[in-house]
Amino acid sequence: MTYCVAMRLDAGLVFLSDSRTNAGVDHINTFRKMTVIERVGDRVLVLMTAGNLSVSQSVVNILRERLDRSDQENLCSLPNLFEAARHVGSVVREVHQRDAAALQEFGIEFNASIIFGGQIGEEDPRLFNIYAAGNFIEASEDTPYFQIGESKYGKPIIDRVVNRRTTFEEAAKCALISMDSTIRSNLSVGMPLDLLIYERDALRVRDHVSIGSQNAYFNTIRTLWGERLRQAFTELPDPDWGNF
């Protein structure tokens, strides 16, 4: 399992992913879930994947291999984000046609979720959630963020904090707290983390950092968040059982 979250803000886009694929008492694997395609001055595209690792890696590898081919459409030849999202979805379906039946014979579900976003040329930054069937939805004013993977633990803080006017600093902080809540509640989500900030109309990545277990800022905010939550809880009034 994994956890990825992306936010579409007036200022641009924020992406955060973990890197754990499976975990047990003596078995932990990590694979990067974020893929970045950047052609400075032309486009920045970011994919984050969850689900079956072999499926998601097949999709990403096919997308990468086609970047250098001029005889067919690819993520660097398409004119806008909608067409790029459609292309990613078609590759998901292509992998499904090739592998789904064989996986099913071994009792393995074809499972893949992709957050895909960025900016091409002069169009606005856009953000999509692409499903295993290759269909997708786009982030909107009412829904400015997407989550994939183990999303339920980190959702409440985002619902309370994030809107289109949220700053990069607030959004990054909120995403990291959302990730910390998920890591604390689910062993299958873990570090290191990938955090990427894309500023509207820059057509280049502003910040892309790897956050490990010794990262001072992440450890500070996760400690303070836990302390402040306990403080807020103790300050809540106790139930008045007589007038409940």
Side-chain angles (χ1 to χ4, degrees), residues 77-98:
S77 68
L78 293 165
N80 57 62
L81 258 295
F82 180 87
E83 290 299 322
R86 181 193 57 75
H87 177 64
V88 174
S90 70
V91 172
V92 173
R93 287 191 292 271
E94 180 181 328
V95 174
H96 181 274
Q97 293 173 356
R98 186 190 69 189

Side-chain angles (χ1 to χ4, degrees), residues 57-209:
Q57 284 193 344
S58 292
V59 171
V60 171
N61 286 337
I62 291 173
L63 291 170
R64 281 194 174 279
E65 288 173 358
R66 290 181 179 171
L67 289 178
D68 297 323
R69 299 190 59 176
S70 59
D71 59 332
Q72 56 185 292
E73 68 175 18
N74 60 69
L75 288 178
C76 284
S77 68
L78 293 165
N80 57 62
L81 258 295
F82 180 87
E83 290 299 322
R86 181 193 57 75
H87 177 64
V88 174
S90 70
V91 172
V92 173
R93 287 191 292 271
E94 180 181 328
V95 174
H96 181 274
Q97 293 173 356
R98 186 190 69 189
D99 295 341
L103 290 172
Q104 189 174 21
E105 289 183 6
F106 290 89
I108 301 172
E109 180 184 3
F110 185 93
N111 181 22
S113 299
I114 298 172
I115 292 177
F116 175 65
Q119 184 174 9
I120 296 177
E122 297 180 355
E123 73 167 345
D124 290 337
R126 302 173 76 175
L127 187 66
F128 298 87
N129 190 356
I130 303 174
Y131 302 106
N135 57 323
F136 54 84
I137 59 174
E138 183 173 3
S140 65
E141 290 280 351
D142 296 328
T143 308
Y145 74 90
F146 288 131
Q147 300 168 287
I148 55 174
E150 194 60 72
S151 60
K152 56 183 177 291
Y153 304 107
K155 181 175 171 60
I157 179 62
I158 300 176
D159 284 336
R160 286 179 168 86
V161 171
V162 174
N163 58 58
R164 291 293 300 275
R165 295 174 298 281
T166 303
T167 66
F168 282 138
E169 289 71 23
E170 291 171 335
K173 180 167 56 177
C174 182
L176 289 168
I177 292 172
S178 173
M179 181 66 74
D180 175 57
S181 298
T182 307
I183 291 173
R184 287 178 180 272
S185 299
N186 194 307
L187 181 64
S188 69
V189 178
M191 302 176 82
L193 313 177
D194 277 316
L195 174 65
L196 186 144
I197 306 294
Y198 173 73
E199 186 173 357
R200 172 187 289 270
D201 296 331
L203 295 176
R204 66 186 306 156
V205 173
R206 197 191 86 167
D207 297 292
H208 186 188
V209 296

